[in-house]
Amino acid sequence: AEPTAVVPVKTLKMETPASPRAPKVRLRQLAFVSLEDLNLAGAIVGSTEEKVMLSEGDSIYVNYPARNPPQVGRKYAIYSAQKVVVHPVTGEKVGAYVLLKGEADILSVKKDKRALGAISHSTQVIERGDRVGNMLRQFRDVTPVAADRDLAGFILATIGTDNLIGEHQIVFLDRGADQGVQVGNRFLVIRRGDAYSEHMGPSDLVGHDDRRFPDHALAQVTVVEAGKKNSVAIVDHSVQEVEVGDHVVMRKGR
């Protein structure tokens, strides 16, 4: 069941403003792609080059869903799925961790034909079968926006600082625009319960929600991208690293 939205604890106030110079964070190689974006992504199905391993400067042919043709002149990320991500409560597939391999420019799109593109940047060997799709790779400054509703959810995936160019952890939430999330909204990451137990290790405390105890806020996160069902947020204040499965709450007017 979803956690109940509760009054934020005093130890980490939602009202705390973002720093004057909010973080600009860029992904290195590991990222998360939602199921929606995975289903809309294309795939490399060929090349004008007579080689198996492709790289910067090579031409590529891209197959794509009929309902989502790529746009000429636009850059797309090239990646390969590494690990399926499931919802920590429902067990449903919500996306995948992916390995970023490079970027492609789309040069030509004709009806009933493969799109023609060119690899404009590569950090890994690129192969036929790799995906070509939308992916925000740089998360820019955002202005805090007061929430117009109470909302609770979960952290679906995280990207640690070792996979970022920047200092702030990125998290992916199971709430998006369909649930009223806006860019600039802030959530608290919470746990409830005793932080010590003879029968529980540190990993067992992730997402712990013992309603007999008051909230313990680990961090505040600010939404920098709001998809339909999922959101991307940056941790802008924390007392402890957050993990997949942790609860998040947003309070109306904060």
Side-chain angles (χ1 to χ4, degrees):
E2 294 181 4
T4 302
V6 293
V7 177
V9 294
K10 294 181 179 180
T11 55
L12 192 60
K13 294 182 179 180
M14 187 76 81
E15 297 88 347
T16 302
S19 61
R21 187 177 293 275
K24 289 185 179 180
V25 181
R26 187 174 176 87
L27 297 174
R28 290 183 187 273
Q29 294 181 338
L30 183 67
F32 171 80
V33 176
S34 69
L35 183 61
E36 177 185 3
D37 282 339
L38 282 174
N39 290 337
L40 293 175
I44 297 175
V45 293
S47 173
T48 60
E49 315 301 325
E50 295 182 2
K51 54 185 179 182
V52 174
M53 298 181 180
L54 305 172
S55 60
E56 188 171 328
D58 289 341
S59 297
I60 55 174
Y61 293 111
V62 179
N63 199 6
Y64 54 87
R67 69 185 186 283
N68 190 52
Q71 300 177 24
V72 174
R74 182 174 173 181
K75 283 189 179 295
Y76 289 84
I78 302 173
Y79 57 84
S80 61
Q82 299 293 300
K83 180 182 178 181
V84 171
V85 175
V86 299
H87 193 283
V89 174
T90 66
E92 296 179 352
K93 180 180 177 180
V94 294
Y97 283 112
V98 302
L99 179 66
L100 294 173
K101 292 187 169 185
E103 295 178 347
D105 294 317
I106 298 300
L107 306 177
S108 173
V109 179
K110 296 181 179 179
K111 186 177 180 180
D112 299 327
K113 303 287 186 182
R114 304 311 197 247
L116 174 64
I119 300 173
S120 57
H121 176 68
S122 61
T123 57
Q124 304 276 332
V125 170
I126 294 170
E127 302 175 273
R128 292 162 180 80
D130 285 339
R131 309 299 297 273
V132 178
N134 299 326
M135 184 154 41
L136 185 62
R137 294 193 60 195
Q138 182 160 320
F139 306 102
R140 299 182 180 276
D141 304 358
V142 299
T143 301
V145 173
D148 61 5
R149 67 196 67 198
D150 291 343
L151 189 64
F154 293 91
I155 292 177
L156 296 175
T158 68
I159 302 294
T161 54
D162 56 337
N163 278 292
L164 302 173
I165 301 173
E167 300 177 351
H168 296 263
Q169 186 179 15
I170 289 178
V171 298
F172 301 84
L173 311 179
D174 70 339
R175 295 291 182 262
D178 286 353
Q179 291 80 40
V181 176
Q182 305 175 60
V183 171
N185 283 167
R186 290 169 291 174
F187 286 80
L188 284 179
V189 184
I190 66 167
R191 294 178 191 167
R192 282 184 281 220
D194 185 1
Y196 172 80
S197 170
E198 295 180 355
H199 306 290
M200 296 175 64
S203 62
D204 296 317
L205 297 175
V206 174
H208 197 44
D209 191 32
D210 188 335
R211 302 301 176 90
R212 297 173 299 173
F213 291 83
D215 301 335
H216 166 59
L218 310 180
Q220 176 182 283
V221 303
T222 299
V223 175
V224 294
E225 180 187 4
K228 290 184 178 180
K229 297 180 180 179
N230 307 113
S231 297
V232 184
I234 289 180
V235 178
D236 50 36
H237 183 45
S238 67
V239 294
Q240 187 176 343
E241 189 172 40
V242 302
E243 301 287 350
V244 171
D246 276 330
H247 303 278
V248 294
V249 294
M250 179 174 74
R251 291 293 287 168
K252 183 177 180 179
R254 299 182 176 180

